[in-house]
Amino acid sequence: MISAIVPTLGAAGRLARLLPSVRASLAASGQASEVLVVDDGATLAPVPEGARVVPLDPARGYGPAVNAGARAAAGDLLLVLNDDVRLDPDCVARLAAALPEREVFAVVPAILSPLAGCGDEAGKAGRWRAGWVEIEEAAAGARGPTLYPVGCCFLCRRASFLELGGYDESFSPYFWEDVDLGWRAWRRGLATLRVPEARCHHEGSATIGGFAMEQRLAAWQRNRTLFHLLALADPGRRAACFGALAAQALFDGRPAALGGVAEGLAAFAAGRAPAAGGLDDDEILARSRTA
């Protein structure tokens, strides 16, 4: 059974417009399915047709909302979606056919979006530069690895998602939580694969459009800082990252960015233990890169 998990912050209009494509793609897969709309903040009205609503009160952000949906799901497969995506009719069937039993955490479709310079958000490569893992678009016409499952659309096994601990909720409300999830999966040797013949259409940042740009900048800087402190295992890379943070503190004059870095340091001090064991940082960057 496939459980589609759709977190939303009261976007009844978008859901009414786009959920029919999700239900149609699930039905075309030939598998039993359900749609769980996680109502982040418990303000959604009316209830979307054909969906079970999981209220989350108070609002907690994208990662916690997906985690709540995963815990409530009845399916052995999770289709994780944003509330601003439309699926091609054969998208779910193609993803399900491409998900092997072992050594793969998640499969992602082509995510066609105006946000991506190459037109497809799904392909991501990590490059080490000046103390940071820089995320780059990685266009590809064939199946292959990618650094992480972009949160707006991916399919995985529920058991794998729960064994990884789901999204780390310290990244709430948004940004970098999907990078962190994919990195943790790679650390265990579990790949994320692109399946470009499956197609998803993403409207682009509709779910965070109500937040001011300074809020988004602070959240991005906070969670980039948090990701690096949690994810990097190599002592040399961690030292380089601390050097990059020091340089930013000295030369970045944007109050929102510096406030975000400070919040990231505080979240790290209160969060989970840094990475240890499994694939090393170089192996993750190499294996997750499309040839």
Side-chain angles (χ1 to χ4, degrees):
M1 182 177 184
I2 302 174
S3 295
I5 310 296
V6 187
T8 189
L9 191 63
R14 274 202 303 275
L15 291 170
R17 179 163 48 86
L18 297 172
L19 271 187
S21 75
V22 174
R23 294 197 303 269
S25 192
L26 286 167
S29 74
Q31 299 197 39
S33 63
E34 63 174 352
V35 176
L36 282 74
V37 172
V38 184
D39 182 8
D40 194 23
T43 61
L44 185 64
V47 172
E49 181 182 352
R52 175 159 60 100
V53 173
V54 179
L56 198 61
D57 188 17
R60 297 177 58 197
Y62 174 78
V66 174
N67 289 348
R71 290 191 295 268
D76 59 331
L77 298 179
L78 299 181
L79 178 67
V80 178
L81 301 168
N82 279 5
D83 67 3
D84 61 344
V85 299
R86 175 174 56 82
L87 304 185
D88 277 7
D90 62 355
C91 179
V92 175
R94 290 183 180 275
L95 290 176
L99 182 63
E101 290 288 338
R102 298 181 179 179
E103 298 182 348
V104 170
F105 165 58
V107 288
V108 298
I111 301 173
L112 308 180
S113 167
L115 296 180
C118 67
D120 180 1
E121 287 184 82
K124 304 295 183 184
R127 308 281 181 181
W128 181 254
R129 290 197 181 97
W132 302 109
V133 175
E134 298 287 355
I135 308 299
E136 300 177 346
E137 292 179 3
R143 291 188 189 186
T146 187
L147 183 61
Y148 62 93
V150 177
C152 64
C153 185
F154 68 88
L155 184 75
C156 69
R157 298 190 185 283
R158 180 173 180 266
S160 297
F161 184 85
L162 295 178
E163 285 167 8
L164 284 167
Y167 284 119
D168 184 334
E169 298 189 5
S170 60
F171 286 86
S172 178
Y174 47 73
F175 293 142
W176 286 87
E177 66 279 296
D178 47 3
V179 188
D180 174 74
L181 178 65
W183 189 277
R184 285 187 281 125
W186 277 107
R187 180 77 71 194
R188 297 190 184 190
L190 299 174
T192 295
L193 299 179
R194 294 182 65 199
V195 183
E197 63 268 29
R199 290 159 51 100
C200 162
H201 305 265
H202 185 208
E203 292 191 347
S205 290
T207 51
I208 61 171
F211 294 90
M213 290 304 297
E214 285 201 347
Q215 286 179 286
R216 297 189 217 179
L217 174 61
W220 193 89
Q221 293 285 349
R222 173 193 186 276
N223 287 347
R224 180 177 75 155
T225 300
L226 179 60
F227 166 77
H228 283 80
L229 297 180
L230 292 175
L232 296 176
D234 178 76
R237 291 195 191 277
R238 291 181 66 80
C241 180
F242 277 109
L245 285 168
Q248 185 172 11
L250 287 171
F251 300 113
D252 191 334
R254 298 170 296 173
L258 294 178
V261 169
E263 290 181 13
L265 291 168
F268 168 66
R272 71 177 197 254
L279 298 184
D280 64 32
D281 299 338
D282 286 336
E283 288 178 299
I284 293 171
L285 291 170
R287 291 194 191 188
S288 63
R289 190 173 298 128
T290 300

